[in-house]
Amino acid sequence: GAVVSQHPSWVICKSGTSVKIECRSLDFQATTMFWYRQFPKQSLMLMATSNEGSKATYEQGVEKDKFLINHASLTLSTLTVTSAHPEDSSFYICSARGGQGAYRSIGANVLTFGAGSRLTVL
Amino acid sequence: AQSVTQPDIHITVSEGASLELRCNYSYGATPYLFWYVQSPGQGLQLLLKYFSGDTLVQGIKGFEAEFKRSQSSFNLRKPSVHWSDAAEYFCAVGVATSYDKVIFGPGTSLSVIP
């Protein structure tokens, strides 16, 4: 079945530094990837939609200069948290949807989720 | 605007008992509906989905859900709960924008008493 890998699964950084999180589709080409943020014991909040080869579409209230998203290939999207602060500490989860070729394996409109990346900013 | 509500924040059931988790959605067109499960510190696993057709949907791990358009509901059920079912459950609706993004409900935390 479809697999999405996130790396790193856990990262601790100092305030003011930047952190990059990778999201890879391992066995299918992901034309669209989504980045979510989840605070403890809360739901997933969609941050942005990432399309291969084009600029990401950010949800209202999400700072695009703070959370840089790059979808440079059909199997990789990255989220960079720039100048991280303690309030950026959260669980970040990516999901991916395949293109035409992946429909038979993952089904139309079905997202495959990564295991998440926990960011702690000291 | 599209939205999903899950009225129960937390539910506790005894092992072997039946389970029903409630979900209501607000969406102008025929929705794509999903139930996901999340174990602590983990990503999400799809339990089942509804796109069209039969309104009673069977999923993995013995779960099923019924789509009721008149009630705008998509409740999740399981006839006999196992201790390993303890987790966070999210109902979600797929939004038919150009990118088909998915909006999640607030989640219901399930505890299972042995």
Side-chain angles (χ1 to χ4, degrees), chain A residues 32 34 36 38 42-44 46 49 51 57 59 91 93 97 108-111 113-115 118, chain B residues 32 34 36 38 41-46 49 51 88 90 99-107:
Chain A
T32 303
F34 300 88
Y36 290 85
Q38 185 181 32
Q42 295 190 26
S43 187
L44 283 76
L46 179 64
T49 303
N51 285 280
T57 302
E59 295 299 302
F91 194 53
I93 303 177
R97 171 178 293 117
N109 296 304
V110 174
L111 297 177
F113 283 82
R118 184 165 302 284
Chain B
Y32 300 142
F34 309 86
Y36 286 89
Q38 183 183 35
Q42 302 292 315
L44 276 74
Q45 181 181 25
L46 179 68
K49 62 186 183 293
F51 289 164
E88 191 81 19
F90 294 98
Y99 300 127
D100 284 338
K101 61 186 180 182
V102 175
I103 306 298
F104 285 84

Side-chain angles (χ1 to χ4, degrees), chain A residues 7-121:
Chain A
H7 178 81
S9 57
W10 200 316
V11 57
I12 301 173
C13 70
K14 293 182 179 180
S15 185
T17 62
S18 294
V19 174
K20 179 184 287 187
I21 300 170
E22 293 186 347
C23 178
R24 293 181 184 272
S25 56
L26 297 186
D27 51 0
F28 67 101
Q29 293 182 327
T31 53
T32 303
M33 288 184 173
F34 300 88
W35 285 96
Y36 290 85
R37 182 175 182 176
Q38 185 181 32
F39 291 105
K41 299 190 181 301
Q42 295 190 26
S43 187
L44 283 76
M45 300 302 296
L46 179 64
M47 298 175 66
T49 303
S50 168
N51 285 280
E52 186 267 337
S54 63
K55 289 184 178 180
T57 302
Y58 290 82
E59 295 299 302
Q60 191 172 6
V62 178
E63 299 175 62
K64 59 183 67 176
D65 295 331
K66 174 77 170 175
F67 299 100
L68 300 179
I69 291 172
N70 185 289
H71 194 156
S73 76
L74 285 171
T75 60
L76 174 65
S77 176
T78 60
L79 167 68
T80 301
V81 183
T82 62
S83 187
H85 291 283
E87 59 265 29
D88 298 324
S89 299
S90 190
F91 194 53
Y92 293 89
I93 303 177
C94 75
S95 64
R97 171 178 293 117
Q100 286 288 339
Y103 275 7
R104 274 184 294 176
S105 60
I106 66 172
N109 296 304
V110 174
L111 297 177
T112 300
F113 283 82
S117 300
R118 184 165 302 284
L119 170 63
T120 300
V121 184

Side-chain angles (χ1 to χ4, degrees), chain B residues 3-110:
Chain B
S3 66
V4 180
T5 57
Q6 293 178 247
D8 304 303
I9 298 174
H10 186 89
I11 285 181
T12 300
V13 299
S14 297
E15 191 169 18
S18 63
L19 171 70
E20 182 170 30
L21 302 182
R22 296 183 290 166
C23 171
N24 293 95
Y25 68 90
S26 173
Y27 186 55
T30 299
Y32 300 142
L33 295 164
F34 309 86
W35 274 99
Y36 286 89
V37 60
Q38 183 183 35
S39 297
Q42 302 292 315
L44 276 74
Q45 181 181 25
L46 179 68
L47 287 176
L48 48 78
K49 62 186 183 293
Y50 171 79
F51 289 164
S52 64
D54 194 344
T55 56
L56 184 62
V57 180
Q58 301 298 320
I60 62 171
K61 303 185 179 185
F63 286 93
E64 67 177 26
E66 186 171 12
F67 169 59
K68 293 185 177 180
R69 185 187 300 274
S70 61
Q71 299 177 18
S72 297
S73 69
F74 188 56
N75 294 348
L76 181 72
R77 300 193 293 252
K78 186 170 185 177
S80 178
V81 171
H82 188 263
W83 63 266
S84 60
D85 292 325
E88 191 81 19
Y89 291 80
F90 294 98
C91 181
V93 61
V95 178
T97 65
S98 58
Y99 300 127
D100 284 338
K101 61 186 180 182
V102 175
I103 306 298
F104 285 84
T108 298
S109 177
L110 174 66

